Amino acid sequence: MEVSDTKIKITFDQRFELDSYDQLDLWSSDIAAQRMTEAVRSLDVDLDNDVLGGSAGREPILQGTFLRDVLLQGFCNPSSQGSIERRQELSITQPGVFSQNHMVQSWAHRYIRPSPIPIPGDPILKDLNESQIKAMALMIGNKISLIQGPPGTGKTRTIAETVKILKAHFQVPQPVLICTYTNVAVDNLIEALIAAGVNPLRVASPGKVKESIAQYSLEAKMEAHRSKPELDKLTKELARLYERRDETFKKYDEYVKSGSLRASKLKTRYEFLIKPRPHFAEDFQARIKRKESALYGICTTCISSASVALNIIDFPVVFLDEASMCMEPASLIPLMKGCQHLALIGDHQQLPPIITSPEALEGGLG
């Protein structure tokens, strides 16, 4: 196959005639639009009251958020705007997923104030100024927090240090999902986490990970996992079973056409082979991914947070970096995996959303 700017040339081993010309249209992938649409639809899923919507066959917690009380208050009756704003303020300042962890809450409540009183057992924070520490306390202590910082104020490092004290010092069991809009920004987050002493996990499509941090990718972690040989063995066994199934069906089809009596016997065998049964290789792989994801801060883009690699894990804690750069539907994607605790970090004066639609720009969305 040869590819140029204007054509694609495909050469076949054997010559054959075409009754008509086929057309190949090249267009950009719509996976981002599909995932944003699905995230908006997932707002119908009310996890608090077990009112289900979204996609059938999936766990509700993997297609909804516990933050609907805040996200949807803007759509309430305008006549009750005063009470809405009050309820929203109370919802935001409530403790989030760490409300039952008294060590985390004690630290957050003290360090959210000026001149906090340290006590034995507090994490050691080096080379962080007062505003950065206060931002960390807000991100940890509040159900929803909004952190704004001009360029050079250390927003990315603040995120890394927050993840560090949660996972390394307080050792919280909840998976922490750290998202941003671009792959470059995700790589910067990975480097900041490494510098902070955190072992991050990078989830991305093939070819999207910078070579210097490839060892932190999910694929690299899977390859290095001690159970990888067992997974390979199961995968080969599964492939062998699929091959036997296809061979049996081919023979069955031949016997049916020839009227052979062996067709009924092969039919029984084929029905046994296609009978639904646990996919041990896939289940084993899922267990490895779930274990790996529980140990680290998981970093990915907003769009990739809905990838197949993460479709078995709920994320109660989400930190969204460069939040001002994300369009609302894109920022909803990582929240629709059971999010209970959210921090939005960014600066709308520095990085506004990238709008390419002329109509949207004329409408004031740029």
Side-chain angles (χ1 to χ4, degrees):
M1 185 173 67
E2 300 177 10
V3 181
S4 69
D5 293 338
T6 58
K7 63 181 179 180
I8 300 176
K9 181 180 179 181
I10 303 175
T11 304
F12 296 91
D13 294 333
Q14 298 179 352
R15 180 182 178 85
F16 59 92
E17 299 295 333
L18 291 175
D19 295 334
S20 61
Y21 289 100
D22 293 327
Q23 177 175 313
L24 178 66
D25 294 326
L26 178 62
W27 194 249
S28 59
S29 172
D30 64 344
I31 188 67
Q34 290 179 13
R35 291 177 178 176
M36 286 190 281
T37 301
E38 181 65 24
V40 174
R41 289 174 178 167
S42 294
L43 285 171
D44 284 340
V45 181
D46 187 353
L47 298 180
D48 290 303
N49 298 308
D50 295 327
V51 178
L52 306 183
S55 301
R58 292 180 58 196
E59 292 290 337
I61 201 169
L62 295 178
Q63 52 178 328
T65 177
F66 288 95
L67 303 179
R68 294 173 79 252
D69 58 334
V70 177
L71 297 176
L72 298 179
Q73 281 186 4
F75 297 94
C76 295
N77 190 341
S79 62
S80 58
Q81 189 65 34
S83 60
I84 291 173
E85 292 174 355
R86 177 59 179 163
R87 289 200 308 271
Q88 188 174 40
E89 181 182 353
L90 291 173
S91 297
I92 291 173
T93 56
Q94 287 176 354
V97 73
F98 308 118
S99 60
Q100 301 302 314
N101 190 320
H102 300 298
M103 291 182 63
V104 173
Q105 287 301 310
S106 171
W107 184 88
H109 288 162
R110 286 181 288 112
Y111 281 83
I112 207 171
R113 298 181 175 90
S115 303
I117 300 174
I119 64 173
D122 282 352
I124 299 174
L125 304 174
K126 294 182 179 179
D127 303 323
L128 293 169
N129 58 42
E130 184 177 341
S131 64
Q132 289 171 329
I133 294 174
K134 181 179 179 181
M136 293 170 61
L138 282 168
M139 292 169 63
I140 292 175
N142 287 358
K143 180 178 180 179
I144 296 182
S145 55
L146 177 62
I147 309 299
Q148 181 186 1
T153 53
K155 297 187 292 296
T156 301
R157 190 193 169 195
T158 299
I159 297 172
E161 293 292 338
T162 304
V163 175
K164 179 181 179 180
I165 66 171
L166 283 174
K167 302 300 288 185
H169 183 82
F170 294 118
Q171 298 182 355
V172 299
Q174 294 88 349
V176 178
L177 180 63
I178 312 150
C179 288
T180 187
Y181 194 66
T182 64
N183 280 292
V184 173
V186 177
D187 290 341
N188 292 337
L189 277 169
I190 291 286
E191 291 171 345
L193 288 165
I194 296 169
V198 178
N199 195 2
L201 186 66
R202 175 72 159 98
V203 177
S205 303
K208 298 291 186 179
V209 180
K210 191 159 57 174
E211 185 176 353
S212 61
I213 59 173
Q215 61 180 309
Y216 297 97
S217 68
L218 178 61
E219 289 73 19
K221 299 284 187 182
M222 291 282 291
E223 286 295 325
H225 199 279
R226 64 179 181 273
S227 298
K228 183 61 166 55
E230 186 177 353
L231 174 62
D232 291 340
K233 182 180 178 181
L234 289 171
T235 302
K236 289 179 180 179
E237 177 67 15
L238 185 63
R240 188 182 67 82
L241 289 174
Y242 283 146
E243 185 177 348
R244 285 183 57 194
R245 179 199 63 184
D246 295 340
E247 289 176 355
T248 301
F249 180 75
K250 184 177 180 181
K251 289 182 180 179
Y252 169 72
D253 191 46
E254 292 174 354
Y255 288 147
V256 169
K257 291 179 180 178
S258 63
S260 173
L261 296 177
R262 298 187 63 184
S264 59
K265 183 178 179 180
L266 277 177
K267 181 180 180 182
T268 303
R269 183 181 177 187
Y270 178 71
E271 289 175 348
F272 171 77
L273 287 172
I274 65 173
K275 182 180 179 181
R277 54 178 49 85
H279 287 180
F280 297 108
E282 287 91 335
D283 291 346
F284 193 77
Q285 187 177 37
R287 289 200 299 272
I288 295 177
K289 288 180 179 180
R290 188 180 291 110
K291 184 176 180 181
E292 292 293 318
S293 299
L295 297 176
Y296 310 98
I298 299 95
C299 300
T300 188
T301 63
C302 292
I303 304 300
S304 295
S305 64
S307 63
V308 174
L310 297 177
N311 66 1
I312 58 171
I313 310 165
D314 63 293
F315 290 100
V317 183
V318 177
F319 295 159
L320 183 54
D321 191 19
E322 295 186 353
S324 59
M325 195 176 184
C326 295
M327 296 178 292
E328 286 87 344
S331 64
L332 285 175
I333 297 175
L335 307 189
M336 297 305 158
K337 300 175 79 66
C339 179
Q340 306 175 48
H341 195 109
L342 172 66
L344 303 170
I345 306 98
D347 179 17
H348 62 285
Q349 300 292 344
Q350 177 188 3
L351 291 172
I354 299 175
I355 306 298
T356 58
S357 167
E359 293 82 0
L361 288 172
E362 292 177 1
L365 296 179

